[in-house]
Amino acid sequence: MTSSTEAHPTKDLSVAIVGGGIGGLTLAIGLHDRGVPVRIFEGASKFAEIGAGISINTAAIEALKRLGLFENFLEFADFPSRNLFFQWRLAESPEQTLLSETLCKKYGAASIHRAELLDSFIKKIPSDICSFGKRLKSLEQPSSADGKVKLTFEDGTTHEADLVIGCDGIHSRVRGALDPSTAGPSAVAGSDSLVWSGTWAYRGLIPRERFVEAVGKEKGDFYADTAQMLLAKDSHVLIFPIHGGKTVNLVAFKTDRSRWPERTPFPKGEPWIQETSKQDFLKDFDTYSPEVVRMLECIDKPSKWALHQVVPSLTSYINNRVIVTGDAAHGGVPHQGAMAGQAIEDALFLSNLLAHPKVNNANLTKALEVYDKIRVPRANKVVETSLEAGDTYEFRGVAADDPQKLGQHLVERFDHIWDYDLDAEKEQMNQWIRENL
C-alpha cells in the first residue's frame, strides 16, 4: 500500500466501503483516484483472499483499463493462446471427446490467482484510508435527508459517512440494510436467505510437473497449457493454467439433483466448506476416463465448497444512503467465470457516477437511482445465466440430450458477458444525469 493519499478530495460527500476483497479494493481505488473521499473497512487483520484461480473476462479487463489497474493486473495474469476461453470435452469418454471450443472474439480473457489479483491492487491503495479488524455490527440510516449513515463495529468503534457501500461478499451484513419492499425477499443480512445451487466444488492447485506426470507427457503438457471443461451428467471438471503455467488450477463440481428440477435444500447446521476424504472425493467422479481420474488424484487433501446464490435476485441494490455491490448484491455460482468481473464493472460504474461533476451530497440519493437502472439488469442477468450454465454443463439445460448441439451452444453462450459496451453504459449514465439532476 502507498503511505499517504495522493489525490486531493474534490467532493462534498464521504464514502465508507465495507469489505476489502477484490470489489471493495477496486472501488476504493477508483473513488480515491477521482477525488471522492473514501475509507475502507475490512474485518480481517489485513487484506487477503481465499480460494484459487479465477477467470477475468474481456469486459472486466476493459474496466480495469479504465480504472488504471490494468498494468498491475498484467504482472500476474495468464493470457491463453488464440484467445481461448475453454475447450469442451466429454469427461467419461476414453479420449475425452472434443465437442467444441469457445474463443473470445475481441480481446483475450485471462486467468489469475485471487490472492495475486488482490495483491496487485493493494499496491495502489493508500494505507491511511484503510482500517482493519472492523467487523460490521450494525448500520443506522440518517434521520434527516442530509444526515449521515452511522456504522457500528464489533470492537465498539463507530464511523459516519454520507454513503455506505457494502462490498462484503455473498454473506453481506450490509445487504440487510436494504428494504425488502423494494429489493425483494433476498434483502437479508448474512447467509439465511441464500439458496444452495446443489453443487459442491472441490478445488485444487496442482504443480505442473505432477500434473503432467499423472496424465502423461503429451496430453499432460497440452492440458496444462490449454483451459479445459470436462462434462458429464450432474458433474464437471475444469482446469486452466495460472502462475505463468507453473500451476494447474482444477475445480471439480458435483451436483445433488435428488429433487431436480428443484434445488436441494442445504442441510441445516452444516458448514459451507468441508474437509473430505480422497476416497469420497474420487467416488463422485468414478465414471470419468482414467486420465481425468489421475488428474483428480493429484489433490491430496480435498475440501469441498457449497456454492450458493442470492435467489431470487435483488430488484434493487440501494436504500437511501446504503448500497451493495459485487457478491453482496449479486453473488452466485462461478460457472461463467464472471463473478469477479461483475464486481469490477460495478466499481467502475460507481467511481464514474460519484465523481461526476453534477453529483453532490444534496442530490446523492436521487443520483443513485441510475445505479439501479443500469447495473441491476446487467448483473442479475449474468448471475442468473451463471446458474443456468452449471446446469447446462451437466446435461440438465440447453441441448441436454445432444452433446453435439450442446457443443455448438457453448461456442457463443458467453458473448453477452464479454461484448458488453462499457462506453455505452457510461453514456447511458451521463444521459440519465443530464435529464434528472
Side-chain angles (χ1 to χ4, degrees):
M1 286 184 285
T2 55
S3 59
S4 62
T5 52
E6 295 161 5
H8 298 287
T10 58
K11 283 285 179 178
D12 68 340
L13 58 91
S14 60
V15 177
I17 293 174
V18 178
I22 291 168
L25 275 188
T26 309
L27 177 56
I29 293 165
L31 293 175
H32 175 262
D33 287 353
R34 288 162 175 75
V36 179
V38 60
R39 289 194 62 84
I40 184 167
F41 296 90
E42 165 59 29
S45 60
K46 63 179 181 178
F47 294 128
E49 271 286 0
I50 60 172
I54 55 172
S55 177
I56 302 295
N57 66 62
T58 52
I61 288 172
E62 287 298 303
L64 289 176
K65 291 177 181 178
R66 288 159 173 75
L67 287 161
L69 291 168
F70 184 63
E71 294 303 318
N72 301 76
F73 173 72
L74 280 180
E75 290 181 46
F76 301 104
D78 285 275
F79 285 83
S81 62
R82 302 187 298 119
N83 283 355
L84 178 73
F85 180 53
F86 277 106
Q87 289 188 335
W88 308 91
R89 298 178 180 271
L90 296 177
E92 296 172 323
S93 74
E95 297 302 317
Q96 301 98 58
T97 302
L98 179 67
L99 298 179
S100 63
E101 60 181 21
T102 303
L103 300 173
C104 305
K105 297 179 181 67
K106 290 186 178 180
Y107 332 95
S111 56
I112 192 169
H113 193 285
R114 281 180 175 276
E116 289 180 334
L117 183 60
L118 198 74
D119 287 346
S120 73
F121 296 163
I122 289 171
K123 300 173 185 175
K124 294 271 292 185
I125 194 159
S127 58
D128 59 357
I129 69 170
C130 306
S131 298
F132 298 100
K134 299 295 180 183
R135 297 191 179 278
L136 184 66
K137 183 178 181 181
S138 63
L139 277 172
E140 188 178 329
Q141 291 270 16
S143 55
S144 60
D146 58 351
K148 294 181 182 292
V149 185
K150 182 179 179 180
L151 301 92
T152 301
F153 300 99
E154 290 182 358
D155 65 1
T157 60
T158 61
H159 180 80
E160 292 188 344
D162 297 306
L163 175 64
V164 171
I165 305 179
C167 300
D168 50 343
I170 198 167
H171 303 281
S172 173
R173 296 297 303 273
V174 179
R175 189 170 58 239
L178 300 183
D179 183 353
S181 68
T182 54
S186 294
V188 177
S191 310
D192 289 347
S193 68
L194 301 174
V195 173
W196 186 35
S197 64
T199 302
W200 290 100
Y202 300 88
R203 293 186 169 105
L205 297 176
I206 307 169
R208 181 191 180 97
E209 295 80 7
R210 183 174 182 186
F211 180 88
V212 171
E213 182 181 359
V215 179
K217 176 67 177 169
E218 185 177 353
K219 188 169 282 187
D221 274 328
F222 178 74
Y223 280 177
D225 291 327
T226 313
Q228 303 292 322
M229 195 83 78
L230 301 141
L231 312 180
K233 188 73 169 283
D234 298 335
S235 65
H236 68 285
V237 171
L238 67 82
I239 52 174
F240 58 79
I242 57 173
H243 297 150
K246 296 174 185 174
T247 304
V248 176
N249 182 75
L250 184 151
V251 190
F253 301 90
K254 176 67 176 178
T255 305
D256 179 344
R257 307 248 182 218
S258 56
R259 299 199 184 184
W260 184 257
E262 295 180 10
R263 301 288 167 186
T264 303
F266 193 71
K268 283 191 178 296
E270 281 202 23
W272 284 27
I273 304 174
Q274 299 181 16
E275 299 298 319
T276 188
S277 71
K278 195 167 183 177
Q279 181 181 3
D280 286 346
F281 163 48
L282 294 174
K283 187 177 179 182
D284 277 343
F285 305 93
D286 60 4
T287 61
Y288 280 29
S289 75
E291 287 170 325
V292 181
V293 172
R294 289 199 296 271
M295 295 178 198
L296 302 176
E297 288 174 340
C298 292
I299 301 177
D300 292 322
K301 295 182 179 179
S303 60
K304 58 182 184 178
W305 304 54
L307 303 182
H308 284 66
Q309 180 152 338
V310 178
V311 177
S313 298
L314 293 173
T315 49
S316 171
Y317 301 159
I318 64 176
N319 182 19
N320 196 15
R321 290 175 175 265
V322 176
I323 67 176
V324 288
T325 79
D327 281 357
H330 39 77
V333 294
H335 298 311
Q336 295 184 128
M339 293 297 99
Q342 287 308 293
I344 294 167
E345 286 184 25
D346 287 347
L348 175 64
F349 184 92
L350 288 169
S351 297
N352 288 332
L353 173 63
L354 296 175
H356 193 284
K358 290 189 73 173
V359 174
N360 54 51
N361 194 33
N363 65 18
L364 177 62
T365 55
K366 176 66 177 177
L368 291 172
E369 291 176 12
V370 73
Y371 174 53
D372 260 4
K373 178 179 176 61
I374 295 177
R375 290 303 302 168
V376 166
R378 162 65 172 170
N380 283 1
K381 181 179 180 180
V382 171
V383 76
E384 288 160 10
T385 55
S386 292
L387 189 64
E388 294 168 4
D391 298 335
T392 299
Y393 303 162
E394 298 183 355
F395 301 98
R396 297 285 190 165
V398 177
D401 300 320
D402 189 331
Q404 300 309 316
K405 284 186 178 178
L406 173 60
Q408 294 166 17
H409 166 73
L410 292 171
V411 170
E412 297 184 345
R413 180 185 174 89
F414 310 91
D415 288 354
H416 74 99
I417 302 172
W418 301 339
D419 294 346
Y420 189 66
D421 191 334
L422 293 167
D423 293 327
E425 178 186 83
K426 186 176 181 180
E427 177 50 37
Q428 186 184 358
M429 179 196 79
N430 288 335
Q431 181 179 345
W432 187 94
I433 289 173
R434 288 192 294 270
E435 295 172 355
N436 291 277
L437 295 186

